[in-house]
Amino acid sequence: MKRIGILTAGGDTPALNASIFGAVVRANQRKIEVYGFIKGFSGLLNPRVPHVHLNPLFTTIPELDATQGGTILGASRDYVDADDTQTIKDVAERLARLGVEGLICVGGDGTLNGMQPLSAYLPTALAPKTIDNDLGLNYRAEPDEWAREPCDQPPGYRYKRTPSRHRFDLEQMINYVTPGFATAVFVSASGVQRIRTTAESHRRIAIVELMGRHSGYIALGATYGQPDLVLVPEHPIDTDWLVQQVTEIYDLQKHVVIACSEGVVDEKGKDLGAESKSTDPAGNVVLTGAAEALRKILIERLGDTYFTSKRRNESAKAAIFTRKLGHTQRGGRPILFDRFYAAQLGGKSVDLLIEGRINSVAILQWNNNKGFYLDGIDGNDFRDRWGLIHARQMHPSFYDPRTMKPSRVGIDYLLPIFTNSVGADDMEELRKSLFDSGNLTRPYHSVNADINKRIRYLE
């Protein structure tokens, strides 16, 4: 190969630039040119195909910094429709005119779906990213455990998991962890710690809502911030048990901190936060307030007297508050773990293209003997029998619903990721950059302004 393309799609994560950087470094070593496409698949759908030459003379452009969050190429949630054959042919023709012989997409399951139609025309590889850590499999046969059952709503069926027939083993996980997750947990755990002191000082109950639509990995990892209770989507909330645990903890220490995923469900499996019928650009129902829903439940169940009798607050509404960390979890500088392995997976994606792999995915594996190591897998291995990729959920064994905390297996899962996840340079950079006196006088300079000067177009 002489020239390959790369794009970033879907939601942003802190490790996207690191993935691009790793791919470019590997391409430099193999004397391959790299074109970066602007705004993900949206750039390919544009007849002019805005792009940036990321390694002129096989030298990485200075704007590409692995320590910077976000993506210098921009991202969008536009995808190639697999049924729109004419558009796919048009995109393939544009790539051919640019001399692009292989394509790397940095993204999650939606990006993998968008990438697959193009694999009929040129080699493609996915470099995984998602803060939710939901691109992967708990074991190789997991897609086969999904079944369809009839329902009244369109399209007339829904997906349901059947009981597993496989023994779970951490070393058998496919794509053990995804770049972006570690930094999101770092931000989330720090947020829980900071909210703790307010709850503790004012004798209040804090509910901290974290990202995680179907997968509770971020909430599980936020246990590093020592919340009193953790709630995840994979285990429906037993309301009576939750109220009992809250009162026991509150009676003991005069405050409670709860970390909950945005996708937590009640005993009937209904999303607590699905208060709106609106959808995001990817078509997912907007979850508007799991923490607020929990707050209403606790206000109703505990009542004002519980707090006023203890002289700790004037009402239940005053005593129970929520905080939503939101997009802070997916922004900012990536910590060492994410920077290093995102770059490694970017480089592995280049290797997969060179090997001629079609519709492949670079994955990060782990076992007790090797530690973390790289591998590649066919993209179709993530699909069920109908071709759908399901978000990976935490294996049920990761969580103990009685203690509402990670189980021993969940702890064993987290330890390899976070034991040395933060580097000394992460803390040194914070010390030097945040309170730099120049920040008071210099306006923010966006890398977009510099990248814009490098954008080329298909003539």
Side-chain angles (χ1 to χ4, degrees):
M1 286 187 173
K2 294 183 179 180
R3 183 177 296 159
I4 61 175
I6 189 168
L7 60 82
T8 51
D12 61 308
T13 77
L16 290 173
N17 283 327
S19 297
I20 301 168
F21 181 84
V24 172
V25 168
R26 184 66 175 133
N28 289 342
Q29 294 169 347
R30 301 301 294 266
K31 301 302 179 189
I32 298 173
E33 290 186 304
V34 184
Y35 282 4
F37 298 111
I38 301 299
K39 292 194 67 178
F41 287 100
S42 174
L44 299 183
L45 296 173
N46 183 338
R48 299 188 68 198
V49 196
H51 60 278
V52 173
H53 192 182
L54 295 173
N55 61 343
L57 301 178
F58 307 114
T59 302
T60 306
I61 61 173
E63 293 88 351
L64 181 52
D65 183 351
T67 68
Q68 296 298 310
T71 165
I72 65 169
L73 297 177
S76 71
R77 294 189 183 274
D78 290 332
Y79 290 110
V80 177
D81 184 348
D83 296 325
D84 188 348
T85 55
Q86 185 57 53
T87 296
I88 295 169
K89 289 180 181 179
D90 290 342
V91 169
E93 188 269 337
R94 291 166 195 152
L95 292 173
R97 286 173 59 192
L98 283 171
V100 171
E101 301 173 79
L103 179 65
I104 295 172
C105 300
V106 187
D109 56 351
T111 306
L112 182 56
N113 279 322
M115 183 184 83
Q116 184 175 29
L118 294 172
S119 64
Y121 295 87
L122 76 170
T124 56
L126 183 85
K129 68 85 193 169
T130 167
I131 64 167
D132 291 333
N133 199 32
D134 58 0
L135 179 65
L137 303 172
N138 288 309
Y139 37 85
R140 193 63 169 265
E142 191 170 30
D144 300 331
E145 295 175 356
W146 286 94
R148 280 181 176 180
E149 61 179 23
C151 71
D152 296 333
Q153 290 79 28
Y157 58 83
R158 61 188 171 196
Y159 288 91
K160 183 180 179 180
R161 282 292 296 271
T162 59
S164 175
R165 302 185 302 275
H166 300 273
R167 179 182 176 183
F168 177 74
D169 184 337
L170 286 174
E171 298 190 3
Q172 299 303 313
M173 291 182 71
I174 304 297
N175 201 33
Y176 189 91
V177 60
T178 303
F181 169 66
T183 305
V185 167
F186 172 76
V187 173
S188 300
S190 301
V192 169
Q193 284 184 329
R194 290 182 178 277
I195 289 171
R196 163 79 69 182
T197 56
T198 293
E200 195 168 37
S201 299
H202 295 279
R203 314 296 198 254
R204 299 175 74 184
I205 297 173
I207 306 171
V208 186
E209 184 176 323
L210 307 171
M211 285 187 169
R213 177 176 297 276
H214 302 293
S215 303
Y217 283 102
I218 293 178
L220 192 81
T223 305
Y224 276 104
Q226 294 185 295
D228 299 302
L229 300 170
V230 176
L231 306 177
V232 296
E234 291 84 353
H235 292 264
I237 297 172
D238 181 334
T239 305
D240 291 337
W241 182 247
L242 173 63
V243 172
Q244 180 180 331
Q245 293 300 296
V246 168
T247 53
E248 287 181 4
I249 296 169
Y250 190 81
D251 289 343
L252 173 66
Q253 62 186 30
K254 304 177 183 177
H255 76 286
V256 183
V257 177
I258 302 170
C260 78
S261 299
E262 63 182 343
V264 290
V265 299
D266 61 18
E267 289 94 337
K268 297 180 180 179
K270 179 183 177 183
D271 288 323
L272 287 182
E275 299 174 356
S276 169
K277 293 184 179 180
S278 61
T279 58
D280 65 15
N284 300 310
V285 174
V286 175
L287 302 182
T288 57
E292 281 298 326
L294 280 171
R295 178 173 178 263
K296 291 177 183 178
I297 291 171
L298 291 178
I299 288 172
E300 181 180 335
R301 294 291 296 270
L302 296 177
D304 294 340
T305 305
Y306 177 72
F307 297 98
T308 57
S309 65
K310 300 173 184 294
R311 299 178 62 84
R312 291 180 184 169
N313 270 285
E314 63 270 23
S315 67
K317 286 184 177 180
I320 306 170
F321 72 102
T322 64
R323 288 297 179 268
K324 192 171 184 176
L325 294 187
H327 283 76
T328 58
Q329 293 159 90
R330 61 165 76 247
R333 175 189 170 99
I335 61 175
L336 175 63
F337 183 94
D338 277 343
R339 293 199 308 275
F340 180 80
Y341 286 110
Q344 293 286 303
L345 287 165
K348 180 65 176 178
S349 300
V350 175
D351 290 338
L352 293 174
L353 292 183
I354 293 171
E355 293 167 11
R357 299 280 289 272
I358 306 297
N359 193 37
S360 59
V361 181
I363 55 175
L364 184 60
Q365 299 294 94
W366 178 87
N367 67 41
N368 201 44
N369 293 324
K370 289 184 179 181
F372 288 104
Y373 64 97
L374 303 175
D375 204 347
I377 190 172
D378 189 272
N380 279 330
D381 288 347
F382 290 98
R383 301 181 186 280
D384 68 13
R385 71 195 76 177
W386 298 279
L388 184 66
I389 299 175
H390 299 271
R392 175 174 63 186
Q393 297 183 309
M394 285 192 323
H395 192 269
S397 65
F398 282 20
Y399 181 79
D400 183 347
R402 299 307 291 172
T403 63
M404 296 185 175
K405 293 283 187 68
S407 66
R408 182 66 250 179
V409 177
I411 292 170
D412 289 342
Y413 171 78
L414 294 169
L415 284 173
I417 303 170
F418 292 100
T419 298
N420 294 299
S421 62
V422 178
D425 59 329
D426 291 320
M427 296 299 100
E428 180 62 15
E429 178 62 23
L430 175 64
R431 187 187 70 82
K432 290 192 306 182
S433 64
L434 183 58
F435 292 113
D436 182 342
S437 60
N439 290 350
L440 299 175
T441 56
R442 289 192 304 263
Y444 179 77
H445 180 77
S446 173
V447 69
N448 288 348
D450 297 322
I451 288 295
N452 191 59
K453 301 170 187 176
R454 293 184 176 272
I455 293 178
R456 304 175 178 180
Y457 298 92
L458 180 63
E459 299 296 334

